[in-house]
Amino acid sequence: IGRTRMGLADGRLAEESWYRKLTDEQRTLYREGSRRLMRELIRYVSVAGDSPSVEARQLGEDYARIGRRAGMTLQEAVEAFQFFREFLFDSIFSVYETAGVRSASAWGDMRRRISHFTHLVLMALIDYYQVHAGGDSDASTAAGQGRTV
């Protein structure tokens, strides 16, 4: 299901102005980030009481670094994240449907948890853009922390 959806998404991606700004390497980083986001979302939705703040913040900052390096505006970076967010919602809904989850409370809890997690990621992305609004220190910051983004 995920591969079919991603194939359909690839056609829509080519039409997005923010996507055309990404290099092949940055597109790969976005895909890796989306897979990581999916793993973290599934873990968060599955584990009651888990706090996603650290993981969500890191994901948001990583998406922001990629976007800034690609020359995306804040609005374009938010649009890019929203594109993948909707894809993830659809994917997780499909998993619930395939698993035969019928409980309205389970669906509601899942939706709330996904919304909460992705909201934290989005806020971290926006915060990163605002903090780094004037400079271009993303490469040195990532290198200093030993991370590749």
Side-chain angles (χ1 to χ4, degrees):
I1 292 173
R3 287 187 182 158
T4 302
R5 278 209 173 92
M6 198 54 171
L8 295 171
D10 281 343
R12 291 193 331 248
L13 280 171
E15 300 170 8
E16 301 291 338
S17 63
W18 54 264
Y19 188 73
R20 290 191 299 267
K21 289 185 175 185
L22 297 169
T23 65
D24 287 340
E25 179 183 355
Q26 291 163 336
R27 289 174 184 172
T28 298
L29 291 171
Y30 253 94
R31 279 191 295 274
E32 290 170 1
S34 293
R35 284 191 290 271
R36 197 169 120 224
L37 178 59
M38 177 65 95
R39 281 191 309 270
E40 291 298 328
L41 268 173
I42 289 170
R43 187 178 66 72
Y44 176 61
V45 167
S46 302
V47 179
D50 194 19
S51 175
S53 59
V54 173
E55 294 86 0
R57 181 154 212 60
Q58 186 63 56
L59 281 161
E61 289 175 358
D62 289 349
Y63 277 122
R65 278 188 202 91
I66 297 166
R68 282 184 44 81
R69 286 188 185 140
M72 286 186 203
T73 64
L74 173 57
Q75 179 176 337
E76 289 170 324
V78 169
E79 288 171 0
F81 178 73
Q82 292 295 88
F83 181 93
F84 290 107
R85 179 182 177 266
E86 290 306 312
F87 174 78
L88 290 171
F89 259 108
D90 289 346
S91 296
I92 293 175
F93 286 172
S94 290
V95 169
Y96 264 54
E97 288 171 344
T98 301
V101 175
R102 301 279 182 242
S103 165
S105 65
W107 277 87
D109 185 53
M110 180 260 306
R111 190 204 164 287
R112 279 187 296 279
R113 290 177 71 82
I114 292 171
S115 291
H116 176 68
F117 189 92
T118 57
H119 174 78
L120 293 173
V121 173
L122 182 58
M123 292 301 99
L125 183 152
I126 292 168
D127 287 347
Y128 189 92
Y129 261 81
Q130 290 175 337
V131 167
H132 296 85
D136 192 24
S137 62
D138 294 329
S140 61
T141 301
Q145 295 175 353
R147 287 196 317 265
T148 303
V149 289

